[in-house]
Amino acid sequence: MNVNPREGSLAAGASSTTMLRRSNARLILDAIRRAPSGNTVTANELIGATSLTRATVLGVCDDLLRDGWIREQPALAATGKGRPARHFALDDNAGYVLGIDAGYSHVRSVVANLRGEVVGRGGAAFTADIDNADPAPRTAALKLAIDSALDDGGIAPSRVLTVCFGIPAPVSRHGTIPTGNPFWERMAVDQEAVLAGRPQCTSFIENDANLAALAERYNGTVDPDGSFLVLLAGERFGAGVIEDGHLLHGSLGGGGEMHYLDLVEGVGSPAAIAPLARAWAAEALAAGRATTLSKGRSQKNGPSAEAVFAAAEAGDAVAIEIVDRLAERLSRVISTLASLLNPETVVIGGAVAPSIARLAEQIEAKVATTSHFPPRVVASSLAGDIVLTGAVNAALARVSRDALDIELRRT
Protein backbone atom coordinates (compact mmCIF):
# COMPACT_ATOMS: atom_id res chain seq x y z
CA MET A 1 0.00 0.00 0.00
CA ASN A 2 1.21 3.46 -0.85
CA VAL A 3 0.06 6.54 0.98
CA ASN A 4 2.54 8.77 -0.76
CA PRO A 5 1.43 12.39 -1.28
CA ARG A 6 1.08 13.30 -4.90
CA GLU A 7 2.83 16.29 -6.37
CA GLY A 8 1.53 19.51 -4.85
CA SER A 9 0.49 17.93 -1.53
CA LEU A 10 -0.28 19.85 1.64
CA ALA A 11 3.19 18.98 2.98
CA ALA A 12 4.71 20.87 0.05
CA GLY A 13 2.41 23.83 0.50
CA ALA A 14 -0.81 23.18 -1.35
CA SER A 15 -2.83 26.00 -2.80
CA SER A 16 -6.16 26.98 -1.30
CA THR A 17 -7.84 25.38 -4.33
CA THR A 18 -6.16 22.05 -3.60
CA MET A 19 -7.09 22.28 0.06
CA LEU A 20 -10.70 22.97 -0.90
CA ARG A 21 -10.76 19.96 -3.24
CA ARG A 22 -9.50 17.73 -0.45
CA SER A 23 -12.08 19.11 1.98
CA ASN A 24 -14.87 18.57 -0.54
CA ALA A 25 -13.66 15.02 -1.23
CA ARG A 26 -13.78 14.25 2.49
CA LEU A 27 -17.34 15.57 2.79
CA ILE A 28 -18.55 13.59 -0.20
CA LEU A 29 -16.74 10.37 0.72
CA ASP A 30 -18.16 10.55 4.25
CA ALA A 31 -21.67 11.14 2.87
CA ILE A 32 -21.39 8.16 0.54
CA ARG A 33 -20.02 5.98 3.36
CA ARG A 34 -23.01 6.81 5.57
CA ALA A 35 -25.33 5.15 3.05
CA PRO A 36 -26.17 1.55 4.02
CA SER A 37 -23.92 -1.07 2.47
CA GLY A 38 -25.06 -1.93 -1.04
CA ASN A 39 -27.12 1.25 -1.40
CA THR A 40 -26.32 3.99 -3.88
CA VAL A 41 -26.44 7.75 -3.42
CA THR A 42 -27.50 10.17 -6.12
CA ALA A 43 -25.82 13.44 -6.92
CA ASN A 44 -28.90 15.29 -5.63
CA GLU A 45 -28.64 13.46 -2.31
CA LEU A 46 -24.96 14.38 -2.06
CA ILE A 47 -25.78 18.01 -2.79
CA GLY A 48 -28.32 17.96 0.04
CA ALA A 49 -25.94 16.25 2.45
CA THR A 50 -22.94 18.50 1.75
CA SER A 51 -24.46 21.82 0.53
CA LEU A 52 -21.98 21.76 -2.36
CA THR A 53 -22.89 22.74 -5.90
CA ARG A 54 -23.79 20.12 -8.52
CA ALA A 55 -20.65 20.88 -10.51
CA THR A 56 -18.47 20.44 -7.43
CA VAL A 57 -20.18 17.19 -6.39
CA LEU A 58 -19.91 15.65 -9.84
CA GLY A 59 -16.32 16.80 -10.27
CA VAL A 60 -15.25 15.29 -6.95
CA CYS A 61 -17.17 12.08 -7.65
CA ASP A 62 -15.31 11.78 -10.94
CA ASP A 63 -12.03 12.12 -9.01
CA LEU A 64 -13.10 9.46 -6.50
CA LEU A 65 -14.23 7.17 -9.34
CA ARG A 66 -10.91 7.61 -11.11
CA ASP A 67 -8.96 6.77 -7.95
CA GLY A 68 -11.07 3.73 -7.08
CA TRP A 69 -12.83 4.90 -3.90
CA ILE A 70 -16.37 4.66 -5.27
CA ARG A 71 -18.32 2.85 -7.98
CA GLU A 72 -21.00 4.20 -10.29
CA GLN A 73 -24.14 2.22 -11.00
CA PRO A 74 -25.00 2.10 -14.71
CA ALA A 75 -27.40 4.89 -15.64
CA LEU A 76 -31.07 4.09 -15.30
CA ALA A 77 -33.64 5.27 -17.81
CA ALA A 78 -34.84 8.77 -17.09
CA THR A 79 -38.41 8.99 -15.81
CA GLY A 80 -38.92 12.51 -17.12
CA LYS A 81 -37.08 15.23 -18.96
CA GLY A 82 -33.33 15.55 -18.63
CA ARG A 83 -30.53 13.10 -18.04
CA PRO A 84 -30.94 10.09 -15.75
CA ALA A 85 -29.57 10.56 -12.26
CA ARG A 86 -26.08 9.30 -11.54
CA HIS A 87 -25.85 6.78 -8.68
CA PHE A 88 -22.68 6.31 -6.60
CA ALA A 89 -21.67 3.74 -4.00
CA LEU A 90 -18.63 3.26 -1.79
CA ASP A 91 -16.25 0.50 -2.82
CA ASP A 92 -16.22 -0.97 0.69
CA ASN A 93 -13.15 -3.08 0.07
CA ALA A 94 -11.01 -0.57 -1.83
CA GLY A 95 -8.78 -0.45 1.25
CA TYR A 96 -8.66 -1.25 4.94
CA VAL A 97 -7.70 0.32 8.25
CA LEU A 98 -6.27 -1.14 11.44
CA GLY A 99 -7.49 -0.17 14.90
CA ILE A 100 -5.26 -1.11 17.86
CA ASP A 101 -6.07 -1.05 21.58
CA ALA A 102 -2.53 -0.94 23.00
CA GLY A 103 -3.12 -1.41 26.71
CA TYR A 104 -0.73 -1.77 29.62
CA SER A 105 -0.29 -5.55 29.36
CA HIS A 106 -2.34 -6.55 26.33
CA VAL A 107 -2.85 -5.56 22.71
CA ARG A 108 -6.07 -6.10 20.76
CA SER A 109 -6.51 -5.33 17.08
CA VAL A 110 -9.10 -5.24 14.33
CA VAL A 111 -8.92 -4.72 10.59
CA ALA A 112 -11.95 -3.02 9.04
CA ASN A 113 -13.06 -2.06 5.56
CA LEU A 114 -13.92 1.45 4.43
CA ARG A 115 -17.42 1.18 5.86
CA GLY A 116 -15.99 0.34 9.27
CA GLU A 117 -17.06 -3.30 9.16
CA VAL A 118 -14.62 -5.50 11.08
CA VAL A 119 -13.26 -8.31 8.90
CA GLY A 120 -10.47 -9.63 11.13
CA ARG A 121 -9.40 -9.65 14.78
CA GLY A 122 -6.14 -10.30 16.56
CA GLY A 123 -4.32 -9.72 19.80
CA ALA A 124 -1.32 -10.50 21.96
CA ALA A 125 -0.39 -10.43 25.62
CA PHE A 126 2.97 -9.59 27.10
CA THR A 127 4.54 -9.25 30.52
CA ALA A 128 4.37 -5.62 31.58
CA ASP A 129 7.01 -4.29 33.95
CA ILE A 130 6.54 -0.73 35.16
CA ASP A 131 10.20 -0.59 36.19
CA ASN A 132 11.51 -1.73 32.80
CA ALA A 133 11.59 0.87 30.04
CA ASP A 134 12.55 -1.66 27.32
CA PRO A 135 9.96 -1.18 24.54
CA ALA A 136 10.82 -4.48 22.81
CA PRO A 137 8.10 -6.69 24.41
CA ARG A 138 5.42 -4.13 23.63
CA THR A 139 6.67 -3.68 20.07
CA ALA A 140 6.69 -7.44 19.51
CA ALA A 141 3.15 -7.75 20.86
CA LEU A 142 1.94 -4.96 18.57
CA LYS A 143 3.49 -6.66 15.55
CA LEU A 144 1.87 -9.95 16.47
CA ALA A 145 -1.52 -8.31 17.00
CA ILE A 146 -1.38 -6.69 13.57
CA ASP A 147 -0.29 -9.90 11.86
CA SER A 148 -2.99 -11.96 13.55
CA ALA A 149 -5.76 -9.50 12.60
CA LEU A 150 -4.65 -9.41 8.97
CA ASP A 151 -4.35 -13.20 8.85
CA ASP A 152 -7.79 -13.60 10.41
CA GLY A 153 -9.32 -11.32 7.80
CA GLY A 154 -7.27 -12.64 4.90
CA ILE A 155 -6.09 -9.10 4.14
CA ALA A 156 -2.74 -8.41 2.50
CA PRO A 157 -0.63 -5.81 4.37
CA SER A 158 -0.44 -3.74 1.18
CA ARG A 159 -4.20 -3.12 1.39
CA VAL A 160 -3.97 -1.28 4.73
CA LEU A 161 -4.24 2.50 4.39
CA THR A 162 -3.63 3.67 7.95
CA VAL A 163 -3.21 2.38 11.51
CA CYS A 164 -4.55 4.02 14.68
CA PHE A 165 -2.96 3.04 18.01
CA GLY A 166 -5.02 3.76 21.14
CA ILE A 167 -2.81 4.16 24.21
CA PRO A 168 -3.42 4.81 27.94
CA ALA A 169 -1.57 8.13 27.95
CA PRO A 170 -2.46 11.72 27.03
CA VAL A 171 -1.95 12.56 23.36
CA SER A 172 -2.06 16.11 22.04
CA ARG A 173 -3.99 17.03 18.92
CA HIS A 174 -0.58 17.04 17.20
CA GLY A 175 0.06 13.40 18.15
CA THR A 176 2.64 14.01 20.88
CA ILE A 177 2.81 12.67 24.45
CA PRO A 178 3.72 15.09 27.28
CA THR A 179 7.14 14.44 28.78
CA GLY A 180 8.01 13.93 32.42
CA ASN A 181 5.79 10.96 33.28
CA PRO A 182 7.58 7.57 32.99
CA PHE A 183 4.34 5.59 32.66
CA TRP A 184 3.07 7.74 29.80
CA GLU A 185 6.39 7.48 28.02
CA ARG A 186 6.35 3.67 28.33
CA MET A 187 2.86 3.55 26.87
CA ALA A 188 4.14 5.27 23.72
CA VAL A 189 4.29 3.25 20.53
CA ASP A 190 7.44 3.12 18.40
CA GLN A 191 5.41 3.28 15.20
CA GLU A 192 8.42 3.03 12.91
CA ALA A 193 9.61 -0.15 14.64
CA VAL A 194 6.16 -1.73 14.75
CA LEU A 195 5.53 -1.13 11.04
CA ALA A 196 9.10 -1.85 9.88
CA GLY A 197 9.26 -4.10 6.84
CA ARG A 198 5.65 -3.48 5.86
CA PRO A 199 4.40 -1.68 2.77
CA GLN A 200 4.40 2.05 3.45
CA CYS A 201 1.34 3.31 5.29
CA THR A 202 0.45 6.11 7.66
CA SER A 203 -0.08 5.62 11.38
CA PHE A 204 -0.89 7.75 14.40
CA ILE A 205 -1.58 7.51 18.14
CA GLU A 206 -4.55 8.70 20.18
CA ASN A 207 -5.57 8.49 23.83
CA ASP A 208 -7.72 5.42 24.47
CA ALA A 209 -10.45 7.32 26.34
CA ASN A 210 -10.65 9.84 23.49
CA LEU A 211 -11.14 6.96 21.07
CA ALA A 212 -13.86 5.58 23.35
CA ALA A 213 -15.61 8.95 23.12
CA LEU A 214 -15.37 8.90 19.32
CA ALA A 215 -16.80 5.38 19.32
CA GLU A 216 -19.84 6.55 21.28
CA ARG A 217 -20.23 9.60 19.08
CA TYR A 218 -20.40 7.52 15.90
CA ASN A 219 -21.79 4.21 17.17
CA GLY A 220 -23.51 4.83 20.50
CA THR A 221 -26.85 6.18 21.70
CA VAL A 222 -25.78 9.75 22.54
CA ASP A 223 -26.46 12.90 20.53
CA PRO A 224 -23.38 13.03 18.25
CA ASP A 225 -23.52 16.82 18.20
CA GLY A 226 -24.16 17.15 21.92
CA SER A 227 -22.00 17.32 25.04
CA PHE A 228 -21.13 14.07 26.76
CA LEU A 229 -18.18 12.20 28.14
CA VAL A 230 -17.10 8.57 28.22
CA LEU A 231 -15.62 7.34 31.48
CA LEU A 232 -13.29 4.50 30.54
CA ALA A 233 -13.46 2.37 33.66
CA GLY A 234 -11.13 -0.59 33.30
CA GLU A 235 -7.83 -0.55 35.19
CA ARG A 236 -7.52 3.22 35.60
CA PHE A 237 -10.11 5.92 35.06
CA GLY A 238 -9.81 8.09 32.00
CA ALA A 239 -12.38 10.31 30.30
CA GLY A 240 -12.96 11.25 26.70
CA VAL A 241 -14.83 14.55 26.46
CA ILE A 242 -17.09 15.63 23.60
CA GLU A 243 -18.32 19.23 23.70
CA ASP A 244 -20.95 20.20 21.11
CA GLY A 245 -19.83 17.32 18.91
CA HIS A 246 -16.10 18.11 19.13
CA LEU A 247 -13.44 16.07 20.92
CA LEU A 248 -11.54 18.07 23.55
CA HIS A 249 -7.82 17.33 23.79
CA GLY A 250 -6.61 20.18 25.98
CA SER A 251 -3.42 22.08 25.20
CA LEU A 252 -1.12 19.06 25.73
CA GLY A 253 -3.64 16.25 25.45
CA GLY A 254 -4.51 16.31 29.14
CA GLY A 255 -8.26 16.81 28.70
CA GLY A 256 -9.99 14.02 30.61
CA GLU A 257 -6.92 12.88 32.56
CA MET A 258 -7.99 11.67 36.00
CA HIS A 259 -4.96 12.05 38.26
CA TYR A 260 -6.85 14.73 40.17
CA LEU A 261 -8.79 11.86 41.78
CA ASP A 262 -5.83 11.47 44.17
CA LEU A 263 -7.24 14.59 45.87
CA VAL A 264 -10.94 13.66 45.91
CA GLU A 265 -12.30 12.53 49.27
CA GLY A 266 -13.78 9.07 49.08
CA VAL A 267 -11.89 8.25 45.88
CA GLY A 268 -8.18 8.80 46.49
CA SER A 269 -6.69 7.47 43.25
CA PRO A 270 -7.49 6.96 39.56
CA ALA A 271 -7.67 3.18 40.10
CA ALA A 272 -10.87 2.03 38.40
CA ILE A 273 -13.36 -0.80 38.70
CA ALA A 274 -11.35 -3.87 37.74
CA PRO A 275 -8.38 -3.54 40.15
CA LEU A 276 -10.58 -2.42 43.04
CA ALA A 277 -13.04 -5.29 42.56
CA ARG A 278 -10.13 -7.74 42.55
CA ALA A 279 -8.45 -6.14 45.56
CA TRP A 280 -11.58 -5.91 47.68
CA ALA A 281 -12.56 -9.48 46.83
CA ALA A 282 -9.06 -10.67 47.77
CA GLU A 283 -9.32 -8.81 51.10
CA ALA A 284 -12.63 -10.53 51.87
CA LEU A 285 -11.18 -13.93 51.01
CA ALA A 286 -8.07 -13.31 53.11
CA ALA A 287 -10.31 -12.39 56.03
CA GLY A 288 -12.12 -15.72 55.67
CA ARG A 289 -15.51 -14.20 54.92
CA ALA A 290 -18.05 -16.62 53.51
CA THR A 291 -18.49 -15.94 49.82
CA THR A 292 -18.91 -17.80 46.56
CA LEU A 293 -16.00 -15.71 45.25
CA SER A 294 -13.68 -18.33 46.75
CA LYS A 295 -14.17 -20.21 43.48
CA GLY A 296 -11.96 -17.59 41.87
CA ARG A 297 -9.07 -17.89 44.29
CA SER A 298 -7.00 -19.84 41.79
CA GLN A 299 -6.92 -16.83 39.49
CA LYS A 300 -3.58 -15.03 39.59
CA ASN A 301 -5.07 -11.70 40.60
CA GLY A 302 -8.06 -13.04 42.48
CA PRO A 303 -11.68 -13.02 41.25
CA SER A 304 -12.26 -10.79 38.23
CA ALA A 305 -14.55 -7.78 38.28
CA GLU A 306 -16.97 -9.70 36.07
CA ALA A 307 -16.98 -12.56 38.61
CA VAL A 308 -17.73 -10.10 41.43
CA PHE A 309 -20.67 -8.59 39.55
CA ALA A 310 -22.00 -12.05 38.64
CA ALA A 311 -21.79 -13.16 42.27
CA ALA A 312 -23.61 -10.01 43.38
CA GLU A 313 -26.34 -10.69 40.83
CA ALA A 314 -26.67 -14.18 42.34
CA GLY A 315 -27.10 -12.71 45.83
CA ASP A 316 -23.63 -13.16 47.35
CA ALA A 317 -23.43 -10.78 50.35
CA VAL A 318 -19.73 -10.00 50.04
CA ALA A 319 -20.02 -9.33 46.30
CA ILE A 320 -23.05 -7.07 46.86
CA GLU A 321 -21.03 -5.07 49.40
CA ILE A 322 -18.16 -4.69 46.92
CA VAL A 323 -20.49 -3.59 44.14
CA ASP A 324 -22.11 -1.03 46.45
CA ARG A 325 -18.64 0.36 47.28
CA LEU A 326 -17.83 0.56 43.58
CA ALA A 327 -21.11 2.36 42.87
CA GLU A 328 -20.37 4.90 45.60
CA ARG A 329 -16.89 5.49 44.19
CA LEU A 330 -18.22 5.86 40.65
CA SER A 331 -20.86 8.34 41.79
CA ARG A 332 -18.18 10.52 43.40
CA VAL A 333 -16.03 10.41 40.27
CA ILE A 334 -18.96 11.29 38.03
CA SER A 335 -20.10 14.06 40.37
CA THR A 336 -16.74 15.81 40.04
CA LEU A 337 -16.84 15.48 36.25
CA ALA A 338 -20.42 16.74 36.14
CA SER A 339 -19.50 19.80 38.19
CA LEU A 340 -16.46 20.59 36.04
CA LEU A 341 -17.80 19.81 32.57
CA ASN A 342 -21.62 19.74 32.82
CA PRO A 343 -22.17 16.96 30.24
CA GLU A 344 -25.62 15.86 29.19
CA THR A 345 -24.63 12.20 29.52
CA VAL A 346 -21.86 10.19 31.12
CA VAL A 347 -21.24 6.86 29.39
CA ILE A 348 -19.38 4.23 31.40
CA GLY A 349 -17.26 2.26 28.94
CA GLY A 350 -14.85 -0.65 28.83
CA ALA A 351 -14.99 -4.41 29.24
CA VAL A 352 -16.82 -4.04 32.57
CA ALA A 353 -19.64 -1.96 31.07
CA PRO A 354 -22.06 -4.90 30.53
CA SER A 355 -21.60 -5.92 34.17
CA ILE A 356 -22.54 -2.50 35.53
CA ALA A 357 -25.43 -1.74 33.20
CA ARG A 358 -27.91 -2.44 36.02
CA LEU A 359 -26.01 -0.09 38.31
CA ALA A 360 -26.36 2.90 36.02
CA GLU A 361 -29.68 4.06 37.49
CA GLN A 362 -28.35 3.63 41.04
CA ILE A 363 -25.24 5.66 40.21
CA GLU A 364 -27.32 8.33 38.47
CA ALA A 365 -29.51 8.66 41.58
CA LYS A 366 -26.44 9.06 43.81
CA VAL A 367 -24.97 11.70 41.49
CA ALA A 368 -28.25 13.63 41.62
CA THR A 369 -27.75 14.16 45.38
CA THR A 370 -24.21 15.56 45.05
CA SER A 371 -24.16 17.51 41.79
CA HIS A 372 -25.96 20.69 40.78
CA PHE A 373 -25.84 19.47 37.16
CA PRO A 374 -26.62 15.73 37.34
CA PRO A 375 -26.15 14.02 33.95
CA ARG A 376 -27.80 10.95 32.58
CA VAL A 377 -25.61 7.90 33.38
CA VAL A 378 -25.57 4.90 31.04
CA ALA A 379 -23.37 1.90 30.36
CA SER A 380 -21.88 1.62 26.88
CA SER A 381 -23.23 -1.08 24.60
CA LEU A 382 -19.81 -1.34 22.92
CA ALA A 383 -18.28 -3.18 25.91
CA GLY A 384 -14.66 -4.24 25.42
CA ASP A 385 -14.61 -3.13 21.80
CA ILE A 386 -15.10 0.54 22.59
CA VAL A 387 -11.46 1.61 22.06
CA LEU A 388 -11.10 -0.56 18.96
CA THR A 389 -14.30 0.91 17.50
CA GLY A 390 -13.05 4.43 18.14
CA ALA A 391 -9.68 3.60 16.59
CA VAL A 392 -11.43 2.44 13.41
CA ASN A 393 -13.54 5.63 13.38
CA ALA A 394 -10.43 7.79 13.79
CA ALA A 395 -8.54 5.87 11.10
CA LEU A 396 -11.40 6.20 8.62
CA ALA A 397 -11.56 9.93 9.31
CA ARG A 398 -7.86 10.19 8.40
CA VAL A 399 -8.45 8.21 5.22
CA SER A 400 -11.33 10.48 4.18
CA ARG A 401 -9.22 13.56 4.90
CA ASP A 402 -6.32 12.32 2.78
CA ALA A 403 -8.24 10.36 0.12
CA LEU A 404 -6.99 12.40 -2.85
CA ASP A 405 -3.38 11.76 -1.74
CA ILE A 406 -3.72 7.99 -1.34
CA GLU A 407 -2.84 5.51 -4.05
CA LEU A 408 -4.99 2.41 -3.63
CA ARG A 409 -3.57 -1.05 -4.28
CA ARG A 410 -5.67 -4.08 -5.10
CA THR A 411 -3.06 -6.70 -4.17
Side-chain angles (χ1 to χ4, degrees), residues 154-170:
I155 305 300
S158 60
R159 304 294 307 284
V160 177
L161 305 176
T162 194
V163 184
C164 175
F165 298 94
I167 65 172

Side-chain angles (χ1 to χ4, degrees), residues 110-125:
V110 295
V111 58
N113 66 16
L114 294 182
R115 201 172 290 280
E117 298 165 337
V118 172
V119 298
R121 291 178 176 270

Side-chain angles (χ1 to χ4, degrees), residues 274-336:
L276 291 176
R278 292 194 301 263
W280 293 342
E283 289 174 3
L285 291 170
R289 299 182 63 187
T291 172
T292 57
L293 292 173
S294 58
K295 295 177 181 178
R297 296 189 75 166
S298 61
Q299 299 178 28
K300 181 178 179 181
N301 295 318
S304 66
E306 290 80 5
V308 171
F309 280 101
E313 190 72 22
D316 183 278
V318 170
I320 290 172
E321 179 184 307
I322 292 171
V323 169
D324 285 344
R325 291 176 67 186
L326 290 170
E328 177 63 28
R329 186 182 181 91
L330 269 170
S331 69
R332 288 175 178 263
V333 171
I334 292 173
S335 290
T336 63

Side-chain angles (χ1 to χ4, degrees), residues 31-49:
I32 294 174
R33 185 167 55 224
R34 284 194 294 271
S37 182
N39 288 18
T40 61
V41 181
T42 66
N44 283 342
E45 289 170 331
L46 291 173
I47 291 168

Side-chain angles (χ1 to χ4, degrees), residues 206-260:
E206 180 56 277
N207 172 260
D208 54 2
N210 285 349
L211 292 177
L214 291 176
E216 286 296 326
R217 183 177 188 273
Y218 291 107
N219 306 92
T221 59
V222 296
D223 175 3
D225 297 317
S227 299
F228 66 92
L229 64 86
V230 175
L231 183 62
L232 201 56
E235 294 295 319
R236 296 171 67 83
F237 284 123
V241 183
I242 301 287
E243 174 67 22
D244 293 336
H246 299 286
L247 179 65
L248 298 185
H249 280 91
S251 61
L252 297 175
E257 284 299 308
M258 309 291 282
H259 290 279
Y260 78 92

Side-chain angles (χ1 to χ4, degrees), residues 129-151:
D129 183 353
I130 193 64
D131 296 320
N132 185 357
D134 181 10
R138 187 174 175 81
T139 296
L142 287 163
K143 287 184 174 183
L144 179 58
I146 289 173
D147 288 340
S148 57
L150 293 175
D151 289 344

